[in-house]
Amino acid sequence: MAAEPPVRFGILGCAEIARKVSRAMLLSPNSTIVAIGSRSIEKAAAFAEKNGFPAAAKAYGSYEAVLDDPEVDAVYVPLPTSLHLQWVVLAARKKKHVLVEKPVALNVAELDQILAACESSGVQFMDATMWMHHPRTAEMRAFLSDESRFGRLKAVHSIFSYNNGDDFLKNDIRVKPDLDALGALGDTGWYCIRAILWAVNYQLPKSVTAVKNAEFNEAGVNLTAAASLHFDHDITATFYCSFLTNLTMEISLLGSNGFLRVHDFVIPFQEDVGPFYMNANTKFAPLSIGIEPATLERTVKTELPQEALMVTEFSTLVKKIIENGFEAEKKWASISRKTQVVVDAVKASIEKGYEPVEVVF
């Protein structure tokens, strides 16, 4: 039987993250790369050759040329956040399905224009938050849903930080106000906020309060941020994100009967296995010389890295639209919008002198 035709991707730009995601497209069983565009055709061609693109993949000297290629089904957009509105909206209008890097937009008003364009054209939208697609994520959810072992969620804390040195802090697009003005809050904070929302089944907090003493560079771009999220029910939720502290990717979740911790939720330390740690119904051992039962380590293996699983899931949704006339899956747009709304609220809290800010969806 003939193989199913893959979803044909075009890539807008030659960002470093595009190397990882293009590899994922070639590992995924239902996708391939047919085009890449850059402001320089020479740069696009060199990127394609360096990263092992199929020989037939076309290199273009503009982003629009990729969008005008009739052989492109979907585009991956790893451009600076300030360019997302322009190019994602144009991609959607040209009937290209969109996988876009996060943060998706500079604010929810921009995101709403992006989502409206995708919905109007009937194209699939997804942001590239890769950890959502690792099989470990589903197994962690199963533990959180176990009333006897985990119970009711009472507290969640997330950290994502890294320190890439002086050159990063001077030259990376993530610290440039005209390219990625949300800084650490938009980059690492996006993951932390997503982790909290995931933990509470995407219920939104009623308000957020940023923690005092966020740090900024001379251009006013955020380099560290922390906040607490306030829910109607009795859950304590906090996060810390930074470009100034050691690489850390933690989620800690405390329930009435159990505890879960993952040390590498953003990018697994090993791409073929993702561990997490569970405690259930924990007590002190006799004489308080330990605990019972012992912490359980669960390792979840995967044949494909999480970014390839993300591409596979996205491509599956695209194929349903192209081949079967299905409507676009709206779940991913809703999750992105909830994440963006909370990012916006934390930013507003910082700007208002760390006052509580209502979260309005």
Side-chain angles (χ1 to χ4, degrees):
M1 188 170 67
E4 290 286 326
V7 170
R8 302 168 297 179
F9 273 92
I11 300 173
L12 304 188
C14 300
E16 182 67 18
I17 189 64
R19 296 185 61 203
K20 180 174 185 173
V21 178
S22 63
R23 172 177 177 260
M25 292 170 184
L26 300 177
L27 287 172
S28 171
N30 60 353
S31 66
T32 190
I33 303 169
V34 297
I36 182 169
S38 175
R39 289 171 293 178
S40 158
I41 192 170
E42 293 80 13
K43 185 176 180 180
F47 188 93
E49 181 179 6
K50 180 179 179 180
N51 291 285
F53 285 18
K58 289 161 280 188
Y60 291 114
S62 72
Y63 305 142
E64 192 156 8
V66 176
L67 302 183
D68 287 335
D69 188 331
E71 294 185 355
V72 172
D73 300 314
V75 291
Y76 167 59
V77 184
L79 299 171
T81 308
S82 62
L83 299 178
H84 286 184
L85 176 62
Q86 174 187 354
W87 290 106
V88 175
V89 167
L90 185 58
R93 289 175 178 169
K94 291 178 179 286
K95 305 296 184 181
K96 307 302 184 186
H97 305 275
V98 177
L99 177 65
V100 60
E101 276 301 328
K102 66 282 145 203
V104 177
L106 293 174
N107 52 61
V108 76
E110 286 193 1
L111 178 58
D112 283 344
Q113 293 180 65
I114 287 170
L115 297 181
C118 290
E119 184 171 4
S120 176
S121 294
V123 298
Q124 185 61 50
F125 167 90
M126 182 184 287
D127 77 51
T129 307
M130 300 170 188
W131 73 272
M132 304 294 298
H133 306 272
H134 196 292
R136 170 174 65 182
T137 304
E139 294 214 17
M140 292 193 298
R141 165 64 62 207
F143 178 65
L144 296 184
S145 301
D146 189 323
E147 181 67 29
S148 64
R149 292 196 301 157
F150 186 78
R152 183 177 177 185
L153 179 66
K154 301 292 289 183
V156 54
H157 182 61
S158 180
I159 302 172
F160 182 23
S161 68
Y162 55 81
N163 181 349
N164 283 352
D166 290 342
D167 184 67
F168 175 93
L169 293 174
K170 292 177 182 177
N171 300 311
D172 195 86
I173 65 168
R174 284 163 283 190
V175 298
K176 301 293 184 181
D178 57 332
L179 297 175
D180 270 298
L182 291 174
L185 177 61
D187 183 38
T188 56
W190 180 275
Y191 289 91
C192 297
I193 290 167
R194 176 65 60 84
I196 293 171
L197 294 177
W198 168 81
V200 299
N201 287 310
Y202 301 106
Q203 300 175 64
L204 280 171
K206 293 300 178 181
S207 65
V208 304
T209 305
V211 176
K212 290 183 179 181
N213 300 321
E215 297 179 76
F216 300 85
N217 65 12
E218 292 180 355
V221 177
N222 171 266
L223 301 179
T224 69
S228 57
L229 283 59
H230 314 296
F231 294 87
D232 268 346
H233 38 80
D234 54 345
I235 293 176
T236 299
T238 55
F239 76 86
Y240 171 80
C241 63
S242 179
F243 289 157
L244 301 177
T245 51
N246 190 62
L247 175 60
T248 303
M249 303 177 286
E250 295 261 349
I251 310 174
S252 299
L253 300 123
L254 180 62
S256 53
N257 297 328
F259 179 71
L260 183 151
R261 173 171 287 166
V262 57
H263 298 299
D264 57 353
F265 83 98
V266 177
I267 300 173
F269 296 151
Q270 298 175 283
E271 72 171 6
D272 61 346
V273 62
F276 64 98
Y277 303 87
M278 300 172 286
N279 292 89
N281 301 297
T282 313
K283 310 294 181 189
F284 286 115
L287 302 181
S288 296
I289 58 173
I291 61 168
E292 296 178 346
T295 300
L296 175 65
E297 178 181 5
R298 175 79 174 101
T299 56
V300 182
K301 295 183 179 180
T302 177
E303 293 184 3
L304 290 174
Q306 61 183 13
E307 59 270 20
L309 295 172
M310 174 187 70
V311 171
T312 299
E313 181 164 358
F314 176 79
S315 298
T316 297
L317 295 173
V318 169
K319 285 171 71 68
K320 287 180 178 179
I321 297 169
I322 293 173
E323 297 175 1
N324 304 113
F326 282 31
E327 292 187 357
E329 170 62 70
K330 293 183 172 61
K331 174 182 77 171
W332 295 108
S334 176
I335 292 172
S336 294
R337 192 175 192 278
K338 289 181 177 182
T339 309
Q340 186 82 52
V341 163
V342 178
V343 169
D344 285 10
V346 175
K347 180 174 181 287
S349 177
I350 294 171
E351 292 171 345
K352 293 180 179 181
Y354 307 97
E355 292 296 318
V357 169
E358 182 182 3
V359 175
V360 180
F361 187 58

